[in-house]
Amino acid sequence: MQAAKPSQNRKSKIINLKSKMLLSIETSCDDSAVALLDMEGNVITSQISSQTALHERYGGIVPEIASRKHLTTLPLLLRHVLRESSVKLTDLKGIAVTYAPGLIGSLLVGVSYAKTLSWITKAPLIPVDHLEGHLLAPFLDHKELDFPFLGLIASGGHTHLVVAKGLGEYSLLGKTMDDAAGEAYDKVAKMLGFQYPGGPIIEQLAAGCPKPSIEFTVPLKGKKNLDFSFSGLKTAVRNEALARKLYVEKKKLISFKEFSNQPDSPEKDMIRDIAASFQLTVEKTITGRVEKALNKTNLKQFVLTGGVAANRGIRKSLTKLAQKKRKQFFYPQLEHCTDNAAMIGYTALQYLKSGRIDNDGLLRLNASSKSPIGLMNVQKPD
Ligand code: KG4
Ligand code: ZN
């Protein structure tokens, strides 16, 4: 069995052992994550074991591989987290777990594990919607953020623009009609010959081309609604790659490092140009949609969250928008943008504190690939 490799830069803080702890588990996709928070919401430790190395050669996540890996990694991560924090199972005051949405096999591993821990410790089981976890993640790093705010959740599976009025009170303003923003990054990277996840690679490629030359059409520009669409842009990139003989469906997918180590060539410059032009179009798309939503809602604060929130270009463009519109803009620290258990713990804690957790029957909790009570089903306001 391979030892779980906890990510770097997640040092444990000095903890107050008198205060009880909340344990959180996140396994909705390809990252196994476990965190401990104190009852004030401070992150004591947040560990992530990435499966990227297992999936990158396929250019996307293989669900079966993901769930099997969670199964072997979770016990190791839990042991590591408890040991490094000197916390015992009897110190736990709640067990939070992502139960939806995501890959069903992956979710089932986390949910079964959390149920077992809850049964052993008698600590309440707190089911958390993954999207709500992302939405509230900026609170981990910004104590000044408060409800109500406008939120854009942009990840590998979702692009949701929501108004967050209060805990559990969300209304959906718009969402993607086809590919999610992160999915578009991943697919564009793959068609240019790069491994999964594509977002960070496209960002690095784009940084090597300060003056992108291709003018891709900004999707849904001029449309009144607040939905998103990325599949047309993805096709435009594909056509550009085909025209330049760069489309490499069957070639072995490479990392950014391998690309950097290749000798310079006009082909490499063209790849950088396509990546930078795509990046710029995504920035314009997202910024345009957020501006429209701010005009419509007149909210004073907005957040960008989810894996795509790690993108510096999009952050920069939204920071400029915030200055122009005199709004406050928040995004999580890098480690809280992509999937992590700290955001799941934080969300669970808010529900625990609000007294809305009833442990009766929760051991019958099931995982769900869709979000039955979360943000997927909220009604669009009139
Ligand atoms: O939130 P997340 O970790 O998992 C989901 O819930 O889907 O998001 C993963 C997605 C992937 O599609 C990945 O390519 C994208 O986030 N991503 C980025 C960046 N870092 C991760 N997209 C653009 N720029 C980045 N720097
Ligand atoms: Zn996510």
Side-chain angles (χ1 to χ4, degrees):
M1 192 188 297
Q2 211 186 325
K5 266 196 256 144
S7 48
Q8 319 87 12
N9 77 2
R10 288 176 175 81
K11 293 182 200 117
S12 295
K13 290 184 187 148
I14 311 267
I15 56 167
N16 171 8
L17 278 179
K18 279 182 199 143
S19 138
K20 298 276 186 178
M21 298 288 149
L22 184 125
L23 180 88
S24 54
I25 296 175
E26 154 65 43
T27 61
S28 66
C29 196
D30 62 329
D31 289 318
S32 317
V34 175
L36 270 178
L37 279 78
D38 68 17
M39 300 318 277
E40 277 79 55
N42 299 307
V43 181
I44 306 308
T45 181
S46 173
Q47 303 290 332
I48 303 172
S49 176
S50 165
Q51 299 184 2
T52 301
L54 293 177
H55 301 278
E56 60 189 5
R57 78 189 84 155
Y58 303 106
I61 295 158
V62 184
E64 186 67 14
I65 295 179
S67 47
R68 280 168 194 256
K69 188 65 185 163
H70 287 310
L71 213 50
T72 52
T73 304
L74 262 188
L76 299 172
L77 266 186
L78 177 70
R79 198 182 330 150
H80 178 82
V81 158
L82 295 179
R83 268 202 197 149
E84 81 155 352
S85 317
S86 313
V87 166
K88 297 189 216 71
L89 283 179
T90 47
D91 294 325
L92 299 179
K93 222 176 175 180
I95 315 279
V97 65
T98 305
Y99 79 101
L103 300 173
I104 191 67
S106 292
L107 287 164
L108 272 170
V109 175
V111 167
S112 309
Y113 206 78
K115 278 170 37 169
T116 310
L117 282 174
S118 171
W119 187 72
I120 293 169
T121 60
K122 305 282 178 283
L125 182 69
I126 310 161
V128 175
D129 183 289
H130 183 76
L131 293 180
E132 190 171 10
H134 273 307
L135 185 63
L136 304 191
F139 281 108
L140 286 166
D141 306 309
H142 302 284
K143 302 296 170 220
E144 66 277 35
L145 175 63
D146 202 359
F147 292 110
F149 61 86
L150 176 76
L152 175 61
I153 309 164
S155 69
H158 300 89
T159 310
H160 275 22
L161 196 50
V162 303
V163 175
K165 295 174 213 148
L167 183 66
E169 291 175 58
Y170 313 114
S171 54
L172 186 67
L173 294 177
K175 61 177 182 170
T176 184
M177 303 187 307
D178 37 61
D179 291 346
E183 191 181 357
Y185 272 98
D186 297 333
K187 287 179 176 169
V188 163
K190 192 176 177 184
M191 65 177 77
L192 293 175
F194 293 95
Q195 295 175 343
Y196 176 87
I201 298 182
I202 296 288
E203 185 177 2
Q204 284 169 293
L205 289 168
C209 176
K211 278 201 176 158
S213 74
I214 309 157
E215 286 202 15
F216 292 120
T217 307
V218 176
L220 304 182
K221 200 178 173 187
K223 285 271 178 332
K224 277 207 179 122
N225 65 30
L226 291 166
D227 288 329
F228 293 83
S229 167
F230 291 101
S231 80
L233 174 60
K234 182 188 67 187
T235 306
V237 172
R238 184 176 181 273
N239 290 341
E240 193 67 36
L242 276 172
R244 296 179 185 224
K245 301 202 172 17
L246 294 170
Y247 190 60
V248 285
E249 202 163 20
K250 293 195 178 78
K251 243 203 285 179
K252 184 179 162 280
L253 300 174
I254 60 168
S255 65
F256 180 73
K257 197 170 169 211
E258 285 170 278
F259 174 83
S260 306
N261 289 339
Q262 289 170 359
D264 266 333
S265 66
E267 193 192 42
K268 279 183 76 175
D269 286 341
M270 278 195 279
I271 289 177
R272 288 193 190 99
D273 191 12
I274 293 181
S277 304
F278 167 77
Q279 164 73 35
L280 189 63
T281 314
V282 175
E283 284 171 23
K284 286 183 187 166
T285 307
I286 287 183
T287 308
R289 271 347 210 196
V290 171
E291 179 163 15
K292 222 171 232 173
L294 286 172
N295 290 343
K296 187 169 177 176
T297 58
N298 209 19
L299 288 161
K300 293 189 175 62
Q301 307 172 98
F302 67 101
V303 311
L304 171 70
T305 188
V308 178
N311 190 283
R312 287 168 190 82
I314 301 172
R315 290 173 172 203
K316 219 168 149 183
S317 178
L318 289 177
T319 302
K320 275 194 198 151
L321 175 69
Q323 284 160 356
K324 182 177 115 182
K325 312 254 342 147
R326 295 172 188 266
K327 306 282 182 188
Q328 280 182 293
F329 170 46
F330 302 94
Y331 48 82
Q333 280 178 24
L334 275 183
E335 67 200 71
H336 297 144
C337 289
T338 43
D339 291 348
N340 66 88
M343 68 184 191
I344 301 304
Y346 182 86
T347 304
L349 200 57
Q350 308 318 304
Y351 279 95
L352 198 61
K353 283 183 176 170
S354 72
R356 290 193 232 172
I357 297 299
D358 174 5
N359 210 27
D360 237 22
L362 274 183
L363 288 183
R364 288 194 296 274
L365 171 74
N366 220 338
S368 168
S369 61
K370 296 239 162 63
S371 190
I373 57 161
L375 298 165
M376 294 286 282
N377 283 352
V378 288
Q379 296 299 310
K380 285 194 184 195
D382 299 329

